[in-house]
Amino acid sequence: MLSLKPIILSTILGVVTFGTVLAQVDHCQMYAGILRKADSLSQAGSYVAAIKTYRAARVACPVKIYETDLRIERIVYRLIQMREQALQRRDELVQQMALLEKDLQRLAGRSEDYREGVSAFMEKRSPSFMGR
């Protein structure tokens, strides 16, 4: 069932013009179901699928585009935060790996095999490693 709903088309120089838009009387019944699906996708961490579903909600109910766009913006903001946290964590892990590498190199430099390798190089002979 369709009805005509009046809307303001423009207010140029203080002149208000009116038009009509076709809208469903049930006023976007599908919208609530689509939002529930998009919200559950978002909560599950399927952010790209959630954004696509929110875009479908925009099509299903153009009257609520602003509300839907706010939900999409929240997901995008969350993704930006997650990216920043991931980059920060990556930097921490690289620093930890560098410290570990430093310690392991120090230990390797104290081994008998290291000394054998250096002395074999200096004496220009093949090393005889013992695994120590």
Side-chain angles (χ1 to χ4, degrees):
M1 194 182 299
L2 296 176
S3 69
L4 296 178
K5 295 192 174 193
I7 60 167
I8 298 175
L9 294 178
S10 64
T11 57
I12 301 172
L13 301 173
V15 177
V16 178
T17 58
F18 290 92
T20 56
V21 65
L22 290 175
Q24 292 183 355
V25 173
D26 59 8
H27 194 48
C28 310
Q29 286 182 348
M30 293 184 349
Y31 181 77
I34 295 171
L35 282 186
R36 278 193 299 277
K37 180 179 179 182
D39 289 342
S40 67
L41 286 168
S42 177
Q43 290 172 358
S46 300
Y47 300 115
V48 174
I51 289 173
K52 288 179 180 179
T53 307
Y54 282 127
R55 290 175 69 196
R58 292 177 86 229
V59 172
C61 189
V63 176
K64 298 195 176 190
I65 285 178
Y66 179 74
E67 177 186 330
T68 309
D69 286 349
L70 288 177
R71 289 173 186 243
I72 292 172
E73 284 179 20
R74 279 194 295 251
I75 290 177
V76 170
Y77 181 71
R78 187 178 315 140
L79 289 171
I80 290 169
Q81 284 180 323
M82 290 170 62
R83 177 187 176 271
E84 291 170 359
Q85 291 170 351
L87 291 175
Q88 182 179 3
R89 183 67 179 138
R90 180 208 58 191
D91 293 342
E92 292 169 2
L93 290 173
V94 167
Q95 192 173 28
Q96 289 175 3
M97 287 173 27
L99 292 173
L100 180 61
E101 177 69 20
K102 179 181 169 184
D103 291 342
L104 293 174
Q105 288 292 337
R106 188 178 312 125
L107 287 174
R110 295 180 187 160
S111 70
E112 290 178 29
D113 282 345
Y114 175 78
R115 286 191 288 272
E116 170 60 22
V118 171
S119 65
F121 177 78
M122 298 298 280
E123 297 169 7
K124 298 186 192 286
R125 63 175 172 80
S126 294
S128 175
F129 295 121
M130 304 297 258
R132 301 181 204 176

